[in-house]
């Protein structure tokens, strides 16, 4: 598995990475050079994937700001950004078209545009673009269509891919940065659209909606179930889903089918776009065991599907400027000070020695805690690196608070780009 | 029912709660419905079949059973129960019909899953007592919980008479009764707290009984903003203290003196986070619900960790007078 990943990852990765020394025993690990990636005119699409809550939206937005301020014309497609982050980019309404983001330094000639994905609108627009107004209306009013477009598992992923395809086809942008929907697993972004596509094109939906047309052996077998099995089943569905649902579904599938030749074909087309040379995947992960296990699955999957991986972003890593002071020494010193403080506790004046001791002890305890976190994060990172030594990594330090303005995004962008061993461009 | 934003610790908290409620002589059932085998992973056992199994003994001495509900199998059971389908059920399955029904309409799945859980809640022993003293469900996340729990209301409305109608109504009666509590797990971070506040409002609007808020992964408060200000004003004394503790010279350029800057910046970050957490705590308090706290386990929530959390929960439940 590792060998395969190495092959697929290396062609692109090599030009953008520089090896640098790591902890003893690990040899050299490639470092992800984000600036080289976003400056390269050959890079047209960057997809930020990862498990839920790891920082995909933040990374996508930060890369967008940075690429624009380095002179590229960028659009960021965000999905469900946190309210304050959206506001800071001027995204106050879900209107499904890119808006210019104010406050971005345009001196180098770049621009930043951003949009939030409106999955229902995107779905509606597909329908509207591919049929005459009258039939489009019939479909949009179809209850089955409505529940499908509002919340079927996988619709969001499908529509994100669809929107990406549209943005790319327009060829209006130097660089498209795509955020991916919150899901438990990064794999969902790759799998859900196909699942929805094959569900809609699937055998059973055809049997139910047009048994005669589907015909063939499957149809025969279905009939062999006997009328009782079929009617009981459709009867149950009708009861559970509302009587008109099967009929709605039938109308819907028939209309979709004649219009644009099936969902699967469309999903397949966008899938191929993701394999194209101008695309780069960034896998975002938190430095935690489960998150990195997920990231490893995803890396292997990208390789298997020949999708170009640019690297791994390890987000919210902790660091310390006093890393030379070990947790053990800090704790021992804190205990000393606390004992001392108890012995001669004077009347409290703000700068009395007791207070200074208490404060110093507290500061040392916090430091020890920080060093423990650091050590744990390193261990997790090194385990990933041992499994996938070919994957370039960029570490991003955690900011003390949430990231919800352009300033914060710039800080994240800076941290993404400034990696040990990468020369500032 | 234990819900919450994705990744906040629903599975962990549900497991800890099932353990905590398993007092001497009692029996609890821990149920998962999303087909992810999270319980098996946590308890380090092989994948759970669609069958109740004893998996642990709680810190109080009671028994914890576990069940992973499988929507597909539950649908076959359901068809069998109402329609005596026999072999036709298997044939439907081969055709992809069952898969179709359970994916197409999340509603179908949800009816089956909640139905199975309510059956376990109401099940009685020969002697007439309840088989389980408490049933804890590792439920879907906040974004889906109201629809998930409310689905039987819709079904009861659609099928106006007959066995399905009766079943749906019975499930809804259990879910809306005071025997049920929907608990929300959150972290002291902006988005999970926002989701919790929104989730509580939605549950209340639907008439579903909200239980408590479980604040997970809390960290101890060491120094606050005032302490940071005090520390900034007494750099010299602190440098001397560090020096006395054996960390180098306190004079300008000495090793102890050079630690002050970095340590102060770390302390400042900590204090800022505490301040943010304080705001979030008061938002949670504004919900006027019982709140429970579970500390951040340094090594992650492995099995010993979950027992530790269960112990903490047991005490807090006692303090809050929750006897169940
Ligand atoms: N390096 C960082 N330092 C501090 N906070 C961060 C950092 N990266 C992300 N965050 C914060 O973490 C939270 C989650 O980030 P974000 O929304 O980008 O994650 P996501 O992967 O898009 O989540 P979802 O899967 O829900 O879409 C946000 O509140 C964000 O501000
Ligand atoms: N109190 C805690 N201390 C440390 N780690 C914890 C704690 N609670 C949960 N975790 C860890 O956080 C991660 C998420 O927890 P868990 O799987 O319980 O969340 P979840 O809400 O069920 O997630 P999902 O939405 O994916 O089902 C796990 O790795 C778990 O071990
Ligand atoms: Mg996001
Ligand atoms: Mg879970």
């Amino acid at each position: 598995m590792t060998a395969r990943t190495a092959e697929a990852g290396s062609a692109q990765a090599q030009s953008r990475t520089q090896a640098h020394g790591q902890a003893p025993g690990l040899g050299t690990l490639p470092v992800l050079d984000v600036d080289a990636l976003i400056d390269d005119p050959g890079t047209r699409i960057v997809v930020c994937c990862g498990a839920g809550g790891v920082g995909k939206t933040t990374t996508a937005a930060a890369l967008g700001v940075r690429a624009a301020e380095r002179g590229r014309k960028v659009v960021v497609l965000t999905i469900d950004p946190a309210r304050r982050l959206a506001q800071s980019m001027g995204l106050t309404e879900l209107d499904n078209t890119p808006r210019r983001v104010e406050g971005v330094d345009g001196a180098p000639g770049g621009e930043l545009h951003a949009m939030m994905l409106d999955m229902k609108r995107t779905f509606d627009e597909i329908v509207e673009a591919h049929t005459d107004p009258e039939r489009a209306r019939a479909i949009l009013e179809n209850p089955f269509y409505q529940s499908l477009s509002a919340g079927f598992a996988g619709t969001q992923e499908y529509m994100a891919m669809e929107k990406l395809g549209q943005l790319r086809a327009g060829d209006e942008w130097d660089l498209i940065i795509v955020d991916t929907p919150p899901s438990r697993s990064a794999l969902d972004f790759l799998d859900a659209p196909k699942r929805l596509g094959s569900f809609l094109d699937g055998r059973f939906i055809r049997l139910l909606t047009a048994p005669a047309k589907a015909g063939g052996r499957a149809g025969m077998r279905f009939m062999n179930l006997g009328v009782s099995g079929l009617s009981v089943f459709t009867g149950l569905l009708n009861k559970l889903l509302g009587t008109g649902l099967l009929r709605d579904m039938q109308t819907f599938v028939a209309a979709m089918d004649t219009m644009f030749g099936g969902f699967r074909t469309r999903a397949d087309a966008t899938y191929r776009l993701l394999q194209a040379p101008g695309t780069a995947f960034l896998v975002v992960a938190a430095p935690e065991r489960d998150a990195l296990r997920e990231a490893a699955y995803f890396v292997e999957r990208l390789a298997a599907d020949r999708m170009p991986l640019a690297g791994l972003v390890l987000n919210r890593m902790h660091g310390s400027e006093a890393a030379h002071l070990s947790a053990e020494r800090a704790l021992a010193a804190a205990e000393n000070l606390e004992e001392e403080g108890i012995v001669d506790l004077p009347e409290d004046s703000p700068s009395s020695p007791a207070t200074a001791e208490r404060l110093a002890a507290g500061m040392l305890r916090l430091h020890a805690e920080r060093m423990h976190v650091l050590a744990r994060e390193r261990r997790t990172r090194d385990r990933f690196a041992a499994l996938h030594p070919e994957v370039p990594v960029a570490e991003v330090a955690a900011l003390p608070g949430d990231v919800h303005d352009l300033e914060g995004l710039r800080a994240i962008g800076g941290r993404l780009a400034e990696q040990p061993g990468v020369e500032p461009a | 029912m234990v819900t919450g934003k994705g990744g906040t610790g629903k599975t962990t908290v549900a497991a800890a709660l099932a353990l905590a409620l398993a007092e001497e002589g009692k029996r609890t059932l821990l149920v998962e419905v999303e087909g992810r085998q999270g319980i098996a992973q946590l308890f380090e056992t092989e994948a759970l079949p669609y069958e109740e199994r004893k998996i642990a003994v709680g810190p109080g001495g009671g028994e914890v059973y576990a069940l992973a509900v499988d929507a597909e199998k539950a649908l076959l059971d359901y068809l069998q129960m109402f329609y005596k389908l026999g072999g036709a059920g298997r044939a439907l399955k081969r055709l992809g019909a069952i898969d179709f029904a359970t994916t197409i309409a999340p509603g179908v799945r949800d009816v089956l899953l909640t139905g199975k859980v309510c059956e376990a809640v109401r099940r009685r022993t020969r002697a007439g007592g309840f088989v389980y003293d408490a049933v804890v469900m590792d439920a879907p996340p906040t974004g889906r919980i109201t629809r998930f729990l409310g689905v039987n209301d819709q079904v009861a409305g659609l099928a106006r008479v007959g066995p399905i109608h009766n079943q749906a109504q019975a499930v809804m009666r259990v879910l809306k009764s005071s025997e049920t509590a929907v608990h929300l797990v959150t972290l002291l971070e902006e988005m999970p707290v926002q989701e919790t506040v929104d989730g509580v409002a939605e549950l209340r609007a639907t008439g579903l009984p909200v239980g408590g808020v479980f604040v997970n992964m809390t960290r101890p408060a060491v120094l606050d903003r005032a302490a940071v200000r005090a520390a900034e004003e007494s750099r010299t004394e602190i440098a001397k203290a560090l020096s006395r503790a054996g960390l180098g010279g306190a004079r300008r350029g000495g090793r102890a003196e050079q630690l002050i800057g970095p340590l102060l910046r770390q302390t400042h970050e900590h204090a800022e986070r505490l301040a943010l957490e304080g705001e979030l705590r008061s938002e949670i308090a504004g919900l006027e619900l019982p709140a429970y706290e579970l500390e951040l386990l340094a090594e992650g929530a492995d099995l010993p960790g979950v027992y530790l959390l269960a112990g903490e929960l047991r005490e807090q439940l006692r303090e809050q007078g929750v006897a169940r």
Side-chain angles (χ1 to χ4, degrees):
Chain A
M1 226 176 277
T2 305
R4 247 189 304 123
T5 321
E7 229 170 51
S10 63
Q12 280 217 335
Q14 218 111 73
S15 62
R16 302 196 188 105
T17 60
Q18 294 155 35
H20 81 102
Q22 283 285 332
L26 279 169
T28 38
L29 282 180
V31 173
L32 172 66
D33 184 346
V34 165
D35 281 344
L37 173 70
I38 57 180
D39 289 351
D40 181 353
T43 309
R44 304 299 304 279
I45 296 174
V46 174
V47 187
C48 300
C49 337
V54 292
K56 298 178 292 291
T57 306
T58 308
T59 304
L63 281 176
V65 171
R66 189 163 181 94
E69 294 190 335
R70 293 172 71 87
R72 300 198 76 193
K73 190 176 177 198
V74 188
V75 63
V76 179
L77 170 57
T78 64
I79 293 156
D80 279 347
R83 222 171 290 164
R84 277 160 82 193
L85 180 66
Q87 280 166 358
S88 75
M89 294 201 292
L91 297 175
T92 42
E93 49 186 322
L94 253 177
D95 59 0
N96 220 21
T97 50
R99 300 266 149 176
R100 179 98 183 241
V101 178
E102 303 296 331
V104 171
D105 176 15
E111 284 174 24
L112 178 62
H113 298 247
M115 62 172 288
M116 285 190 273
L117 177 74
D118 178 340
M119 80 175 159
K120 173 135 181 41
R121 266 297 279 278
T122 306
F123 213 150
D124 291 356
E125 282 165 12
I126 303 177
V127 172
E128 282 160 356
H130 288 86
T131 187
D132 57 87
E134 199 180 320
R135 284 181 81 181
R137 213 187 47 238
I139 294 174
L140 299 187
E141 284 169 2
N142 184 308
F144 176 69
Y145 169 77
Q146 286 173 356
S147 65
L148 186 73
S149 61
F152 187 82
T155 305
Q156 204 174 26
E157 283 83 359
Y158 190 100
M159 293 307 141
M161 282 226 192
E162 174 68 32
K163 199 73 206 176
L164 168 62
Q166 288 173 14
L167 289 171
R168 184 69 181 86
D171 208 22
E172 197 182 325
W173 317 97
D174 295 346
L175 179 61
I176 304 167
I177 299 180
V178 202
D179 175 19
T180 51
S183 73
R184 165 169 302 136
S185 157
L187 293 174
D188 284 352
F189 180 66
L190 297 178
D191 292 335
K194 271 200 175 154
R195 226 182 290 137
L196 176 65
S198 44
F199 168 70
L200 288 174
D201 288 353
R203 187 163 61 157
F204 194 73
I205 203 170
R206 272 153 214 284
L207 276 173
L208 273 185
T209 52
K213 196 172 139 204
R217 279 189 46 199
M220 286 308 292
R221 245 194 292 156
F222 196 61
M223 292 310 152
N224 286 346
L225 271 179
V227 185
S228 88
L230 174 64
S231 65
V232 161
F233 189 68
T234 52
L236 178 72
L237 283 182
N238 271 333
K239 279 207 179 92
L240 291 178
L241 307 171
T243 330
L245 191 106
L246 288 182
R247 202 186 48 236
D248 295 340
M249 234 159 58
Q250 180 170 25
T251 335
F252 171 76
V253 172
M256 285 303 201
D257 205 30
T258 54
M259 271 193 307
F260 49 90
F263 273 82
R264 201 172 355 201
T265 328
R266 265 180 108 73
D268 288 347
T270 323
Y271 207 76
R272 280 195 300 278
L273 183 62
L274 295 178
Q275 294 168 323
T279 301
F281 278 84
L282 280 181
V283 179
V284 185
E288 287 157 12
R289 198 186 43 195
D290 292 0
L292 276 173
R293 193 185 303 139
E294 262 290 318
Y297 287 146
F298 193 67
V299 161
E300 283 154 20
R301 171 64 187 278
L302 286 177
D305 282 13
R306 298 188 318 283
M307 293 192 172
L309 170 70
L312 172 75
V313 173
L314 265 183
N315 191 26
R316 301 181 102 166
M317 289 282 283
H318 290 83
S320 172
E321 296 166 56
H324 56 277
L325 176 59
S326 72
E328 292 71 22
R329 279 192 69 207
L331 276 180
E335 273 163 25
N336 272 337
L337 288 170
E338 278 155 0
E339 276 168 25
E340 209 183 308
I342 291 166
V343 176
D344 48 34
L345 195 77
E347 284 312 300
D348 254 36
S349 83
S351 58
S352 74
T355 309
E357 275 139 17
R358 225 172 18 84
L359 290 172
M363 287 161 70
L364 287 167
R365 285 196 177 277
L366 284 174
H367 178 69
E369 192 187 302
R370 173 71 64 102
M371 292 306 289
H372 281 141
V373 172
L374 230 90
R376 205 162 46 241
E377 291 178 350
R378 297 239 161 109
R379 275 202 305 276
T380 330
R381 176 200 65 189
D382 293 347
R383 268 222 293 273
F384 176 88
L387 269 175
H388 290 285
E390 76 288 357
V391 177
V393 176
E395 295 178 14
V396 176
L399 296 183
D402 275 354
V403 184
H404 46 63
D405 53 16
L406 289 182
E407 211 38 61
L409 290 176
R410 264 187 212 110
I412 295 284
R415 287 172 184 215
L416 261 167
E418 285 149 27
Q419 298 293 320
V422 171
E423 298 294 321
Chain B
M1 304 283 171
V2 179
T3 182
K5 187 181 189 313
T8 51
K10 294 180 293 298
T11 304
T12 309
V13 171
L17 191 57
L19 284 168
L21 294 174
E23 291 293 346
E24 183 66 53
K26 306 225 165 182
R27 187 185 292 134
T28 62
L29 177 66
L30 174 60
V31 186
E32 78 173 24
V33 292
E34 305 227 286
R36 292 174 65 206
Q37 291 293 340
I39 298 176
Q41 245 175 46
L42 195 53
F43 286 89
E44 297 166 11
T45 61
E46 58 201 61
L48 293 172
Y50 181 31
E51 187 185 288
E52 289 151 44
R53 291 227 156 141
K54 184 173 159 187
I55 50 157
V57 173
E63 296 174 320
V64 179
Y65 279 68
L67 169 69
V69 186
D70 176 327
E72 220 180 81
K73 293 213 183 84
L75 179 54
L76 287 175
D77 282 358
Y78 197 88
L79 289 173
Q80 192 56 36
M81 181 161 77
F82 289 119
Y83 295 99
K84 310 276 177 290
L85 213 55
R90 275 195 302 279
L92 284 170
K93 185 177 161 147
R94 266 203 311 280
L95 264 174
I98 304 289
D99 189 33
F100 169 86
T102 48
T103 17
I104 179 208
V108 175
R109 288 177 63 88
D110 297 351
V111 167
L112 297 167
L113 300 174
T114 47
K116 179 69 199 169
V117 173
C118 288
E119 184 271 316
V121 168
R122 287 180 298 170
R123 195 184 313 150
R124 288 182 185 269
T125 58
R126 285 230 179 81
F130 285 113
V131 171
Y132 293 109
D133 297 282
V135 176
V136 181
M137 184 199 267
D138 176 10
T142 330
R144 281 194 284 130
I145 191 69
T146 304
R147 256 178 86 169
F148 175 74
L149 297 176
V151 69
N152 282 286
D153 259 347
Q154 292 172 13
V155 171
L158 288 172
R160 297 197 178 282
V161 287
I164 292 181
H165 173 84
N166 294 344
Q167 148 97 358
Q169 276 211 320
V171 170
M172 229 42 233
R173 262 199 306 279
V174 173
L175 292 181
K176 288 196 167 170
S177 76
S178 60
E179 280 173 72
T180 299
V182 184
H183 300 299
L184 296 99
V185 183
T186 187
L187 308 178
L188 288 176
E189 285 173 17
E190 225 167 283
M191 292 209 284
V193 170
Q194 188 58 49
E195 245 188 58
T196 302
V197 172
D198 295 347
V200 168
E202 216 182 308
L203 288 165
R204 282 179 173 157
T206 334
L208 287 160
V210 182
V213 178
F214 288 72
V215 180
N216 192 19
M217 306 195 209
T218 60
R219 284 165 291 190
V222 181
L223 295 173
D224 61 6
R225 277 176 174 167
V228 171
R229 272 195 303 276
E232 259 152 11
E233 282 160 15
S234 42
R235 285 170 161 255
T236 330
E237 285 87 343
I238 291 176
K240 282 184 193 152
L242 292 178
S243 182
R244 276 203 303 285
L247 296 176
R251 260 192 226 117
R252 245 187 109 78
R255 275 194 313 167
E257 194 268 344
Q258 283 187 339
L259 276 174
I260 300 286
L263 292 190
L264 264 178
R265 276 189 287 280
Q266 284 173 192
T267 309
H268 175 77
E269 284 179 18
H270 170 79
E272 288 309 301
R273 211 195 57 226
L274 279 187
L276 176 69
E277 289 185 0
E279 286 167 34
L280 295 171
R281 271 183 216 276
S282 49
E283 236 178 290
I284 293 170
L287 294 170
E288 299 185 340
L289 293 169
Y292 309 90
E293 299 225 345
L294 298 166
E295 66 176 286
L296 175 75
L297 300 164
E299 293 305 320
D302 51 6
L303 194 53
V306 173
Y307 269 90
L308 215 97
L309 297 179
E312 283 179 22
L313 263 184
R314 224 171 133 219
E315 273 169 38
Q316 295 181 42
L317 288 168
R318 241 190 244 136
E319 277 163 26
Q320 304 225 11
V322 180
R324 273 178 296 154

